[in-house]
Amino acid sequence: MSDISLEGGGLDAVRLAQALIRCPSVTPRDEGALDLVQAVLTDLGFDCTRLPFESPGTARVDNLFARIGTGSPHICFAGHTDVVPVGHPERWQVDPFAAIIEDDVLMGRGAADMKGAIAAFICAARDYLAEMGDGFSGSLSFLITGDEEGPAINGTVKVLEWMAGQGHIPDMCLVGEPTNPSHLGEMVKIGRRGSFNARLLVQGQQGHVAYPHLAHNPIPGLIRLLDALGAERLDEGTPHFQPSNLEITSIEVGNHATNVIPGMAEAAFNIRFNDLHSGESLERWVRDRLDAVGVPYELTIAISGEAFLTPPGPFSEAISQAIVARLGCRPELSTTGGTSDARFIKNYCPVAEFGLVGASMHKANECVSLSDLAALGDIYGDILRRLFAYA
């Protein structure tokens, strides 16, 4: 049995969120966060499996899969207990890992992203299972990683591979990321844009600025290449996605001298792309435009996620109806924002995301209101009732 028990309604989402925040689980450290989740879920009757993974050049990361039931439908909640660093501690009003409550607001690293949501869903699952008793015939599971805020190599990707091998792939998955920009119930994510990262290198020949004929300046060539990439829009957007956009994120020449022509020039850029493109098609688009300039270049590409969409349907409607019932507002079904582990889950089953307000995530004084935490638990419970009823 865990030191913190959910049995009989003895623990609410606030106390559980506080306990999780007090585990300083900055990626890749766990610091007892998964032990706590596992202990509480074990008390509720879940079969829990710890899944540590490691890869060359990366830290070992612990993960957790927990399931109760063997029937259908199988609904999974996915989340992460790892958090980003606190940054400058002096900019916090409180100890980032003390989980202090002030003026009905819970403060601490991970409160919004996303230990609060994990606590809310665990309590919702507890209440739903108690409500159903012997009448529960489906399956409910948790996929909790410790590698979402890190390189995301030893976390959800490998857990999903293990789940597939063990016959644990769910029928649908709800991710508890903080999806709401300013108020709870504002937004549900039903997809995400893809992310295309590239580094563009132009070689030159270093020399004295007074003797340019003895050198070759790579900067004008790099500028021409970048200008070619920015000369046209990628697209005008789609019904569920905003237009794709290319942003230059850095230009480097490694030269601080005023009388030296640099020997190389390098730029980095990122393309956030919608479902009109793939990483492969974007590479062709980029290379075609660079090749047309006629400047020799080197290009290194990394795709951190493909664009995806879970089309609106019964899954997203159950989430929307639960939000309307509790808060009286209908959420926007959105694909905005950055990437999340939903980009991996979508390869296995339909996935949607709904959690807390994200305005304070990754910032000093990260926080969540107690009323939002309570409301989120109510919404999660209603989502479970609706999804299992639809089956």
Side-chain angles (χ1 to χ4, degrees):
M1 294 289 288
S2 65
D3 292 335
I4 295 180
S5 176
L6 283 172
E7 293 293 347
L11 178 66
D12 61 17
V14 174
R15 287 181 56 211
L16 182 53
Q18 284 181 296
L20 287 170
I21 291 168
R22 288 168 183 154
C23 301
S25 52
V26 177
T27 313
R29 303 196 317 266
D30 176 65
E31 302 294 345
L34 286 176
D35 290 339
L36 175 59
V37 173
Q38 178 175 345
V40 172
L41 290 178
T42 299
D43 285 352
L44 295 180
F46 283 78
D47 292 324
C48 296
T49 305
R50 290 293 276 272
L51 297 166
F53 295 111
E54 55 188 322
S55 301
T58 63
R60 181 179 183 272
V61 173
D62 207 354
N63 307 277
L64 171 68
F65 178 77
R67 179 172 177 172
I68 190 168
T70 58
S72 180
H74 175 188
I75 299 169
C76 179
F77 176 85
H80 61 92
T81 50
D82 62 318
V83 298
V84 297
V86 300
H88 299 281
E90 68 275 9
R91 296 182 180 176
W92 286 74
Q93 298 172 13
V94 298
D95 180 338
F97 297 112
I100 290 173
I101 296 174
E102 293 185 352
D103 300 323
D104 293 324
V105 172
L106 172 60
M107 302 183 68
R109 177 58 83 223
D113 188 17
M114 58 170 287
K115 292 179 175 180
I118 291 174
F121 200 93
I122 289 175
C123 290
R126 179 270 315 271
D127 293 344
Y128 175 75
L129 292 170
E131 185 179 300
M132 295 301 296
D134 294 338
F136 178 65
S137 59
S139 298
L140 184 59
S141 66
F142 287 79
L143 189 175
I144 309 296
T145 182
D147 193 29
E148 199 273 347
E149 301 290 7
I153 293 173
N154 297 318
T156 297
V157 172
K158 292 186 177 179
V159 176
L160 286 164
E161 292 172 354
W162 177 88
M163 289 167 62
Q166 299 295 317
H168 288 307
I169 293 301
D171 296 298
M172 63 199 82
C173 182
L174 178 62
V175 181
E177 286 291 335
T179 55
N180 302 283
S182 60
H183 63 268
L184 190 68
E186 183 179 5
M187 185 175 290
V188 173
K189 298 292 179 69
I190 59 169
R192 295 276 186 164
R193 293 178 296 171
S195 181
F196 177 106
N197 297 285
R199 297 198 72 87
L200 178 62
L201 176 67
V202 176
Q203 298 285 358
Q205 184 177 3
Q206 184 175 322
H208 197 293
V209 295
Y211 302 94
H213 59 289
L214 300 178
H216 174 64
N217 194 334
I219 296 176
L222 180 65
I223 292 173
R224 289 171 57 197
L225 290 169
L226 293 175
D227 186 59
L229 292 177
E232 62 181 286
R233 291 170 64 90
L234 280 154
D235 56 69
E236 299 300 324
T238 70
H240 291 288
F241 285 90
Q242 64 196 84
S244 303
N245 66 290
L246 184 153
E247 297 293 336
I248 299 168
T249 55
S250 73
I251 297 177
E252 304 168 9
V253 297
N255 177 36
H256 298 285
T258 60
N259 59 350
V260 175
I261 293 172
M264 56 78 66
E266 185 176 22
F269 61 92
N270 175 272
I271 303 174
R272 292 300 168 105
F273 60 95
N274 59 37
D275 56 350
L276 292 174
H277 311 275
S278 66
E280 183 179 358
S281 71
L282 277 178
E283 180 174 356
R284 291 195 300 269
W285 184 92
V286 167
R287 290 190 182 277
D288 286 347
R289 278 144 189 82
L290 295 177
D291 291 345
V293 176
V295 173
Y297 66 88
E298 300 170 33
L299 185 68
T300 304
I301 294 169
I303 311 298
S304 57
E306 298 282 355
F308 71 93
L309 176 72
T310 299
F315 184 20
S316 58
E317 185 60 19
I319 300 171
S320 297
Q321 288 178 0
I323 293 169
V324 171
R326 178 61 172 80
L327 301 174
C329 61
R330 189 167 185 86
E332 175 187 356
L333 300 182
S334 173
T335 59
T336 58
T339 59
S340 74
D341 278 2
R343 70 190 189 274
F344 307 128
I345 298 168
K346 58 88 177 174
N347 294 326
Y348 295 85
C349 70
V351 59
E353 302 173 65
F354 180 69
L356 291 161
V357 175
S360 67
M361 63 179 177
H362 294 204
K363 296 181 180 180
N365 303 310
E366 182 179 351
C367 61
V368 59
S369 74
L370 301 190
S371 61
D372 278 1
L373 200 54
L376 183 64
D378 292 342
I379 292 167
Y380 280 157
D382 197 5
I383 290 171
L384 290 176
R385 294 183 193 93
R386 293 173 189 273
L387 290 177
F388 282 114
Y390 286 158

